[in-house]
Amino acid sequence: MLYSASYFEPRNHHGLLVSISRSHPRSFQVDTKLPFLAPSQGLLDDWKHHQLTEAGYTDRYRQELQQAWPQVNS
């Protein structure tokens, strides 16, 4: 089973801690990192500046995941 949680809410952490963000707080220890699952900075910026709808964000994120997926097999 997978759980998602904020770094800053340790009461919600269960099991293996896997970071899917491009960075995490230095004081926080994770068990492993999968940064290729994180959205790009450009995508995040467009979302934060209200340049995308939720559907637009989802479409671009899926495109990014498809491009990053070959990293899994390397």
Side-chain angles (χ1 to χ4, degrees):
M1 183 167 296
L2 295 174
Y3 297 93
S4 66
S6 166
Y7 291 118
F8 306 105
E9 296 179 4
R11 68 183 180 283
N12 294 329
H13 297 173
H14 303 282
L16 188 70
L17 298 178
V18 179
S19 171
I20 64 166
S21 60
R22 298 206 181 276
S23 64
H24 62 274
R26 276 189 245 183
S27 61
F28 193 86
Q29 296 297 315
V30 297
D31 296 310
T32 192
K33 299 176 189 177
L34 300 174
F36 66 90
L37 293 176
S40 68
Q41 189 62 52
L43 178 53
L44 292 174
D45 290 344
D46 288 348
W47 175 254
K48 289 177 186 177
H49 293 104
H50 308 287
Q51 295 175 345
L52 293 170
T53 63
E54 186 172 340
Y57 178 92
T58 301
D59 288 343
R60 273 188 48 194
Y61 179 61
R62 286 184 177 153
Q63 289 173 0
E64 288 183 4
L65 287 177
Q66 287 176 340
Q67 292 173 351
W69 198 250
Q71 293 181 38
V72 174
N73 296 320
S74 12

